[in-house]
Amino acid sequence: MTARLPLRAVCLGAGGFNHANHAPVLKRLAEGDAPRLSLEAICDLDRARAERFQQEFGFRQVYTDLARMMEETRPEVVYSLVQPTATAGVVSQVLPTGLPVFTEKPPGVTVEEANPLAELAETHGNLTYVAFNRRQMPVLRWLKQWLTDHAPVRYVRGEMLRNRRREPEFGIGTAIHALDALRFLCGDVAGVGVRAQPYGDGGCADYFVNLRFVGGLIADLQVVVDCGMLRESYHAFSERAGAAAVLGAGYSSPWLQPGLATHADAGEPAFTPVPTDHHEAGGFLGEHVAFLNAVESGKRPDCCLQDAAKSVALATEVHAAFRELGGRSY
Ligand SMILES: NC(=O)c1ccc[n+]([C@@H]2O[C@H](COP(=O)([O-])OP(=O)(O)OC[C@H]3O[C@@H](n4cnc5c(N)ncnc54)[C@H](O)[C@@H]3O)[C@@H](O)[C@H]2O)c1
């Protein structure tokens, strides 16, 4: 398939995360001598929010009703950037059109929401992209390349340290990113074990996950939600060599040095800092470019709804132990 450019785009949800990270990139992609998008409309249930986006980012029209927007603007690509609990409703309304859909994660807050979305995409042949932004962060792509170059890798470790994030749904809403990033680095999961450490105020816990991947690689993930600092990092170890990726773009405390450090045989490490452009470092630019490349080529991207449903299933399993606060091991 060869798409005719620029593609007519509409966007659902004019919230905070879209404002900071998606809309500025969409605007960038709609500008210049060879724009890839035309920003036809922004839709939000709250009209004032949508109007702010129109003014700041140049969307042509404002809507508060999805069906009406779809009918009147005849888009070629749809961006769903609503809050997690609204995602399944919005995306399931759009998929039967057969149009390409870019959606924020998680693609539904339960397996019961995520699996039907994957099935709908399969039935209607949609090209879809789920915004697990870690997958397009340069630092994680460098680390993935390191894993390829240093096979067989013996062990991988992820760490998601956050402050004041005692959210009962943290596992599905946010820790799913780290689980998906480990899937991106290591492949499909063959076994999972979880220990949870509750906070006294109930409904929330830190948790410690052991993963075994198809092919035998093992990994651990530590998720600590209220520890006074932020650090999200991924570490890989081969024989006499290792690599550590510390995320930037606001995912680690400002005093940390985000980038990839590689070391061998206990020597001095080599260090590559993350790009200074926030949207590039955060994977936001990369994911929009990857989506548009997929639409233009017709080739299904690796983080489509069908694949993302596996990350929802994994996060749900981890979260179940998180809720039970008992934990299991394999
Ligand atoms: N990658 C990351 O690190 C990261 C971090 C934070 C949030 N996110 C994701 O970003 C997404 C958006 O988060 P946010 O903080 O901007 O949310 P938000 O709650 O600020 O905004 C969501 C907007 O969607 C609108 N909306 C809901 N249902 C709608 C409908 N049917 N039609 C039109 N508009 C509708 C709401 O009115 C609201 O304005 C979430 O899915 C979240 O998971 C990702």
Side-chain angles (χ1 to χ4, degrees), residues 205-288:
D206 299 327
Y207 54 99
F208 308 96
V209 186
N210 327 116
L211 294 158
R212 190 161 34 83
F213 291 88
V214 172
L217 179 56
I218 57 170
D220 287 317
L221 171 67
Q222 290 122 36
V223 179
V224 185
V225 299
D226 194 8
C227 67
M229 66 174 284
L230 279 68
R231 186 168 65 214
E232 188 171 335
S233 62
Y234 299 87
H235 308 251
F237 304 91
S238 186
E239 285 184 28
R240 287 184 297 280
V246 176
L247 307 195
Y251 293 104
S252 299
S253 293
W255 46 267
L256 286 162
Q257 249 197 321
L260 184 77
T262 57
H263 51 86
D265 230 358
E268 282 291 308
F271 182 75
T272 312
V274 301
T276 50
D277 179 327
H278 167 84
H279 293 116
E280 191 186 349
F284 308 111
L285 179 62
E287 63 190 358
H288 284 293

Side-chain angles (χ1 to χ4, degrees), residues 17 41 60 65 92 134 264:
F17 196 74
R60 289 209 171 98
D65 180 69
S92 61
R134 276 61 172 175

Side-chain angles (χ1 to χ4, degrees), residues 12-18 43-46 49 64 66 81-84 86-87 90 104-106 131 133-134 173 177 251 284:
L12 288 140
F17 196 74
N18 184 4
C43 177
D44 198 291
L45 301 176
D46 179 337
R49 284 187 167 203
T64 54
L66 160 59
L81 306 169
V82 299
Q83 68 271 31
T87 294
V90 162
E104 252 300 345
K105 46 48 67 177
N133 59 319
R134 276 61 172 175
H177 271 302
Y251 293 104
F284 308 111

Side-chain angles (χ1 to χ4, degrees), residues 17 80-91 103-110 113-114 117 165 167 169-170 172-174 176-177 312:
F17 196 74
S80 170
L81 306 169
V82 299
Q83 68 271 31
T85 49
T87 294
V90 162
V91 174
T103 178
E104 252 300 345
K105 46 48 67 177
V109 290
T110 59
E113 286 189 353
L117 294 183
R165 293 294 301 268
E167 297 150 20
E169 299 305 319
F170 191 84
I172 302 289
T174 300
I176 190 172
H177 271 302
V312 175

